[in-house]
Amino acid sequence: MSSLRRTTSAAAALVIAASCLVLGSTPAPALENGLLRTPPMGFNNWNSTQCRAEFNETMIKGIADIFVSKGLKDVGYTYVNIDDCWALPSRNSAGNLVPDPARFPSGIKALADYVHAKGLKFGIYTSAGTKTCNTAGFPGALGHEQQDANLFASWGVDYLKYDNCNNQGVDAQQRYKAMRDALAKTGRPIAYSICEWGQTKPWTWAEPVGNLWRTTGDISDRWSSMIGKAQANRGLAQYAGPGHWNDPDMLEVGNGGMTTTEYRTHFSLWAMMAAPLLIGSDLRKVSADDFAILKNTDVIALDQDPLGKQATVLSANAGLVVYSKVLANGDRAVALSNETAATATISTTASATGIGSASSYTLKDLWSKAVRTTTGTISASVPSHATVLYRVSRAGGAARFEAESASLSAGGTIDANHAGYSGTGFANGANAVGSYVEWQVTGPASTLTFGFANGTTAARPVDISVDGTVVAAAVPFPPTGAWTTWSTVARPISLANGPHTIRLTATTDGGPANLDYLDVSP
Ligand code: GCU
């Protein structure tokens, strides 16, 4: 009885500990403005209007209206952002930026108020240089960081895109940190978008500086441009996470330069890469097909998944690319993307995604909405420039995580010299106190079952920890009579939805027993 009570309270403590760990998992140096825990969703006018006269107050108000009337706000689009050319070429006598009265006769504050009244957020643009990028020579914020940040805050700005033109060769980190600090001093929460075009690899330095950073030059409304941005951005998954995102530039969906198939690929890949979903088309003119792309809530859910993992590339062979994204509930999103000119079959397996083995999996096609099951193969015939996008879930039963794919502490080996194991081998941890075997698994689970053999005459006790917290101490793995005689140790556990780390650490100098697998049962 007492051991059951201990187990139950340990399990309850574990649920709490695990959720705290998830909340506290952002590394300490991240920009501490608390914003953009998921990638920003919204609008920016640049890709549709550039600096033309149609970029004005009427247009931006119309976009905010459409966010509400056409349900974009309901599916998560929030930021209505304006780009270059909103200001006059000269500051006023007080040194402040002045909105162009021809484009914005009511001023920027009134526009921000209009956007806020609809429950949306408002963003603005300037450059970390002496002037912005346009040849008309609009003033930039280099050397005026605090004055401009203060002005933006006084207008109710919620988001700043900070460009890189006319930077006078001043060090990028210095320029972007100066504006970070100026924004912080305003006291207003302002999401901070570093538009440095990837020139000094901002992913390596900008996590404590901005909420997102461009990884590439500007996108344009062509297949070759869009897929080039995806190719440049997709290897940077390790740098993305809640509050700090890779930015392969804004969406072109709806601008007319790509096919519907290509725009679906664009939207699919941006969602897989946890990229900002900033609509770059004039929503007043977008076709019903393109609207449907922008409003696909199954795809948006991948982008906005709270775990905040960017997809990694599982394989890329001659333009046939498989991406996989870990989701907060333990599901995986898989994209089969065909960059070539001909239809091709693209394949992977559930096991390659690390979801854990199960008797079957559910595949939901997030564009066609068709649902089917598979015992493991994930494969589709994918037309040229198309992307098949699946959400993959374990269909039920225990998931087996083989010890041969676990991590071992120094001295441990994966062996196959004692028959009777499952899979291709077993883990032989080093014979030492502290020697461990660690699995990455996916909850939910109520039981952990370890397959093992112990050919000695003494138990091989281990501490079992979940996400770094010991939940069961010195659990004995008793003698099985021979190294070829395999048995199981099962423990009740309350493992929440999502990814977890399970570690067995030896508490005696025999090290752990030989370990064959871990079954995680819901
Ligand atoms: C033997 C056996 C190993 C085992 C080891 C141990 O060497 O062959 O598989 O791991 O003993 O004591 O741990």
Side-chain angles (χ1 to χ4, degrees):
M1 182 201 89
S2 68
S3 103
L4 176 64
R5 274 177 50 191
R6 266 205 311 278
T7 308
T8 310
S9 61
L14 156 64
V15 172
I16 295 162
S19 65
C20 292
L21 278 172
V22 170
L23 288 173
S25 67
T26 305
L31 176 63
E32 294 299 345
N33 67 3
L35 300 173
L36 301 190
R37 308 312 292 170
T38 60
M41 293 178 64
F43 168 86
N44 175 296
N45 64 285
W46 186 254
N47 291 347
S48 67
T49 67
Q50 308 228 325
C51 213
R52 292 189 300 275
E54 69 200 83
F55 166 49
N56 60 26
E57 184 173 302
T58 306
M59 177 198 191
I60 302 302
K61 285 181 164 177
I63 298 294
D65 294 345
I66 288 173
F67 264 38
V68 176
S69 66
K70 294 235 181 142
L72 291 161
K73 179 185 171 192
D74 290 340
V75 299
Y77 293 94
T78 304
Y79 288 95
V80 177
N81 296 349
I82 64 172
D83 212 282
D84 197 5
C85 306
W86 61 266
L88 285 178
S90 299
R91 293 173 180 270
N92 66 16
S93 56
N96 281 326
L97 298 165
V98 183
D100 180 343
R103 292 182 195 266
F104 295 99
S106 311
I108 300 297
K109 168 91 170 63
L111 184 58
D113 289 347
Y114 185 91
V115 169
H116 290 152
K118 298 194 170 274
L120 300 168
K121 293 187 154 91
F122 179 78
I124 206 163
Y125 162 100
T126 188
S127 182
T130 49
K131 293 182 187 308
T132 69
C133 298
N134 189 267
T135 49
F138 303 111
L142 188 64
H144 298 261
E145 290 86 354
Q146 196 63 58
Q147 181 166 17
D148 292 353
N150 290 347
L151 184 66
F152 297 154
S154 76
W155 287 343
V157 164
D158 306 298
Y159 184 114
L160 174 66
K161 172 181 171 182
Y162 202 35
D163 213 336
N164 196 28
C165 286
N166 298 300
N167 61 45
Q168 309 303 312
V170 179
D171 174 70
Q173 295 192 41
Q174 185 185 322
R175 288 180 292 118
Y176 285 95
K177 285 176 184 167
M179 182 55 87
R180 169 198 63 186
D181 295 342
L183 292 172
K185 279 203 193 115
T186 69
R188 184 176 174 84
I190 298 177
Y192 184 30
S193 159
I194 295 176
C195 181
E196 178 269 5
W197 319 319
Q199 289 193 337
T200 64
K201 296 190 165 60
W203 48 91
T204 62
W205 55 260
E207 181 175 335
V209 183
N211 295 114
L212 60 159
W213 47 81
R214 283 276 296 278
T215 55
T216 68
D218 285 7
I219 196 169
S220 60
D221 189 19
R222 284 177 287 116
W223 164 261
S224 58
S225 170
M226 182 280 289
I227 206 67
K229 305 301 168 220
Q231 290 161 347
N233 194 71
R234 70 190 177 203
L236 303 175
Q238 69 184 104
Y239 302 103
H244 53 98
W245 310 103
N246 291 311
D247 174 6
D249 207 3
M250 298 171 291
L251 297 170
E252 292 284 4
V253 177
N255 278 329
M258 289 182 243
T259 65
T260 300
T261 294
E262 291 169 342
Y263 280 147
R264 283 184 178 180
T265 287
H266 184 10
F267 201 68
S268 299
L269 298 185
W270 263 236
M272 288 294 284
M273 296 191 296
L277 299 181
L278 293 172
I279 299 167
S281 55
D282 186 341
L283 289 165
R284 299 170 304 173
K285 303 172 191 164
V286 165
S287 72
D289 277 355
D290 290 340
F291 242 105
I293 293 173
L294 295 167
K295 287 182 65 176
N296 186 325
T297 50
D298 285 325
V299 182
I300 291 170
L302 304 185
D303 185 76
Q304 296 292 301
D305 185 79
L307 193 62
K309 294 271 191 205
Q310 177 174 331
T312 57
V313 176
L314 293 186
S315 61
N317 298 315
L320 307 179
V321 187
V322 179
Y323 299 77
S324 172
K325 183 183 204 294
V326 182
L327 302 173
N329 73 345
D331 289 356
R332 299 294 189 274
V334 170
L336 307 176
S337 188
N338 183 354
E339 300 176 357
T340 77
T343 297
T345 297
I346 306 179
S347 306
T348 185
T349 61
S351 137
T353 71
I355 193 172
S357 68
S359 49
S360 67
Y361 305 86
T362 303
L363 299 184
K364 179 175 182 185
D365 182 320
L366 303 186
W367 289 109
S368 76
K369 310 298 181 184
V371 176
R372 63 188 171 89
T373 57
T374 171
T375 54
T377 300
I378 302 172
S379 182
S381 171
V382 187
S384 168
H385 292 189
T387 295
V388 171
L389 194 57
Y390 292 120
R391 186 168 184 130
V392 185
S393 320
R394 290 198 323 242
R400 174 157 296 185
F401 296 85
E402 292 288 351
E404 50 270 34
S405 46
S407 310
L408 277 52
S409 57
T413 52
I414 301 300
D415 294 349
N417 59 334
H418 301 304
Y421 51 80
S422 78
T424 58
F426 58 88
N428 170 6
N431 299 111
V433 174
S435 154
Y436 67 80
V437 177
E438 179 180 287
W439 286 266
Q440 304 298 329
V441 307
T442 302
S446 58
T447 308
L448 301 180
T449 305
F450 300 92
F452 77 101
N454 177 358
T456 72
T457 54
R460 292 278 178 96
V462 293
D463 287 347
I464 302 177
S465 74
V466 177
D467 301 329
T469 302
V470 174
V471 297
V475 176
F477 279 60
T480 57
W483 290 111
T484 48
T485 303
W486 298 87
S487 184
T488 57
V489 164
R491 301 293 296 191
I493 196 157
S494 180
L495 205 59
N497 249 351
H500 298 282
T501 301
I502 310 286
R503 182 185 282 196
L504 302 192
T505 306
T507 58
T508 63
D509 48 12
N514 287 349
L515 291 159
D516 184 14
Y517 59 81
L518 165 54
D519 279 348
V520 175
S521 314

